[in-house]
Amino acid sequence: MGTGRAFDEIWGHGGPDKPRAEFSALSEWIADTPQAELHRRQQAAEATFRQLGITFAVYGDSDASERIIPFDIVPRIFLHDEWQRLSEGLIQRVEAINAFLEDIYGERRILKEGVLPAELVLKNPQFRPEVAGIRPPHGIWAHICGIDLVRTGPDEFWVLEDNARTPSGVSYMLENREAMIRLCPELFRSFRVAAVDSYSDMLRETMRSVAPDTRGGVPVCVVLTPGHFNSAYYEHSFLADTMGIELVEAADLVVDDDVVYMQTIAGRVKVDVIYRRIDDEFLDPLVFRPDSLLGVPGIISAYRAGNVALINAPGNGIADDKAIYSYMPDIVKFYSGSEAKLPNVETWRCREPEALKYVLDHLGEVVVKLVDGSGGYGMLVGPTASKAEIEAFRAALKAEPHRYIAQPTLALSTVPTMTETGLAPRHVDFRPFVLTGSDGVRVVPGGLTRVALKEGSLVVNSSQGGGTKDSFVLLPEGPGQNQTQVQG
């Protein structure tokens, strides 16, 4: 889909000369600030990111193993009432994801009642029989969710996928905001923007709230990283640092008599909550992959005994699976009793013969994805694919149809973006972050906006050349100071 027919979130369908009324101040700022000055500020932001070491690894790219994600200076803006509606839908969806995980690793009511096929769950590689029957502290599985959304019109938001394992990108949300406050303080005088810098405090409180019984003391929380070779290592260290808690690797932890301890210079310290950024299969060599050097032997035994909380819970990958995603409207209805407030994108499950036939007949029009894929890999965007790519996917689909789903190519909304030749609309998606603790569900008023920097491209993943923007959520109209403090 080209950008011509897409809805632009700032310009609407009217173009730069007739922006949406609520955003005329942003259009005036863009028009009044010389292009060279916008470029200078953007380069200043990227120079800071480089100094801070905010990089990600591009796997299989021999050119540059570490690079920064390009930053765009023009923010994306959500009106207050738009955000209210989105938040309600996000909370409903995340509550359903938690209920679903609790159910399928417990009573399996949803399978007994035939809402979705049992083999789709129980034979799924993302289902972890090793944790069946374990109840995480406070019954919460998905403490941190990143729900990927796309927009196609003023009131049309769709969920593209759910990330309930280890959603990343929150450090970009926070660093992008810091850069914008420093480089474009005038925008925060024109708009009353909700602050996002409380995220680390919210995350720390969420972690503490799900600690097993600590008998009144302050729970000891840590971030467990696979190490500095991981593509998101900057984020692991950033979050540990801003939360004021220890960043640990497997060698720093030991399990003794089903209790996890951190080894420090002063001796062992009992650990209550672990925000782990290690995939399930590497988490405990006694339970999952025996060759894992990244994991902590015995950690699942301590978890089963109820002595430690793991964030997010092992086994959550089943909720990220794209075949399960296609049932999310039914899952939401089953657990909440209401229709889903945020709709799914129409999805063809290629494991079903009729859906497979439709997809094979329309490969040039649809987007095909691996059910367990992520990061924009293992994906076909029909309208922009070559004949050879389409034929390769046709063969893969016929060989293993159960591994794929397909969706229509949506006209994703655009936001004005700096390009070599000036401002132009570029497609965006959005990942808000939803935190669930024993004290409730919170949606951070902001998120990660990813932008496809290539003209007409719909692929926004950083590993595929996408960039990021700051995401402003406006506060309700009324008296009072701007919530975002501007350091001038």
Side-chain angles (χ1 to χ4, degrees), residues 13 33 70 115 133 147 167 180 229 270 275 332 355 374 383 402 438 458:
H13 290 294
T33 313
V115 176
I147 307 291
M180 288 297 285
F229 292 112
K270 181 176 175 289
Y275 176 16
V332 169
S374 65
H402 63 281
S438 65
L458 298 170

Side-chain angles (χ1 to χ4, degrees), residues 12 55 89 120 152 163 177 193 221 260 279 298 333 343-344 354 356 374 423 458 461 463 472 482:
T55 56
L120 189 65
T152 54
N163 297 283
R177 174 61 52 85
V193 182
C221 304
V260 183
D279 293 342
K333 187 159 190 185
N344 266 23
E354 280 183 27
L356 177 64
S374 65
L423 275 183
L458 298 170
N461 303 76
S463 49
F472 288 9
N482 189 328

Side-chain angles (χ1 to χ4, degrees), residues 161-422:
E161 61 184 53
D162 302 292
N163 297 283
R165 276 179 280 185
T166 49
S168 61
V170 79
S171 56
Y172 289 98
M173 170 183 85
L174 298 170
E175 296 287 13
N176 286 352
R177 174 61 52 85
E178 210 156 285
M180 288 297 285
I181 290 172
R182 197 174 65 253
L183 295 167
C184 308
E186 66 277 19
L187 277 179
F188 296 92
R189 291 190 275 273
S190 302
F191 292 102
R192 297 181 69 237
V193 182
V196 292
D197 57 4
S198 58
Y199 176 82
S200 297
D201 294 338
M202 284 166 68
L203 178 56
R204 188 179 60 237
E205 292 316 306
T206 297
M207 289 176 71
R208 286 178 177 173
S209 81
V210 295
D213 180 21
T214 54
R215 311 221 177 271
V218 176
V220 174
C221 304
V222 299
V223 176
L224 174 61
T225 177
H228 64 278
F229 292 112
N230 183 271
S231 64
Y233 180 74
Y234 172 80
E235 181 157 300
H236 309 164
S237 56
F238 173 88
L239 287 172
D241 195 37
T242 52
M243 284 193 283
I245 65 177
E246 294 294 330
L247 179 70
V248 298
E249 294 184 31
D252 302 314
L253 299 179
V254 64
V255 179
D256 191 354
D257 200 17
D258 289 346
V259 175
V260 183
Y261 296 96
M262 172 170 52
Q263 314 205 61
T264 72
I265 300 164
R268 287 180 169 188
V269 176
K270 181 176 175 289
V271 174
D272 303 295
V273 185
I274 299 173
Y275 176 16
R276 50 95 183 203
R277 297 295 292 256
I278 292 176
D279 293 342
D280 284 1
E281 52 265 44
F282 298 105
L283 192 56
D284 185 338
L286 302 181
V287 175
F288 302 115
R289 283 182 57 159
D291 61 342
S292 170
L293 301 175
L294 302 173
V296 181
I299 198 170
I300 294 296
S301 177
Y303 177 58
R304 185 182 292 279
N307 293 330
V308 71
L310 297 176
I311 292 181
N312 279 323
N316 278 15
I318 188 73
D320 289 10
D321 183 87
K322 292 181 179 64
I324 298 289
Y325 157 91
S326 67
Y327 285 96
M328 273 306 289
D330 306 310
I331 290 170
V332 169
K333 187 159 190 185
F334 183 78
Y335 295 110
S336 73
S338 311
E339 296 297 329
K341 293 176 182 176
L342 282 174
N344 266 23
V345 178
E346 184 184 2
T347 302
W348 294 281
R349 300 184 271 263
C350 298
R351 62 201 295 279
E352 296 169 6
E354 280 183 27
L356 177 64
K357 182 181 183 314
Y358 177 87
V359 173
L360 290 171
D361 290 346
H362 296 84
L363 270 179
E365 301 159 30
V366 297
V367 178
V368 186
K369 300 174 181 176
L370 277 167
V371 292
D372 57 352
S374 65
Y377 295 101
M379 181 171 152
L380 175 83
V381 181
T384 59
S386 66
K387 278 197 170 133
E389 286 167 332
I390 287 177
E391 291 317 307
F393 252 83
R394 187 183 303 281
L397 272 168
K398 286 179 175 171
E400 299 182 293
H402 63 281
R403 293 191 64 206
Y404 295 92
I405 53 112
Q407 293 170 330
T409 312
L410 297 178
L412 303 191
S413 62
T414 58
V415 176
T417 299
M418 292 291 294
T419 71
E420 296 298 314
T421 53

Side-chain angles (χ1 to χ4, degrees), residues 402-465:
H402 63 281
R403 293 191 64 206
Y404 295 92
I405 53 112
Q407 293 170 330
T409 312
L410 297 178
L412 303 191
S413 62
T414 58
V415 176
T417 299
M418 292 291 294
T419 71
E420 296 298 314
T421 53
L423 275 183
R426 291 288 183 266
H427 293 295
V428 289
D429 79 350
F430 186 54
R431 176 177 292 179
F433 296 92
V434 185
L435 298 178
T436 304
S438 65
D439 50 354
V441 185
R442 299 186 192 85
V443 184
V444 184
L448 177 68
T449 287
R450 299 184 298 180
V451 53
L453 295 173
K454 294 179 190 140
E455 186 174 359
S457 171
L458 298 170
V459 182
V460 296
N461 303 76
S462 50
S463 49
Q464 312 286 317

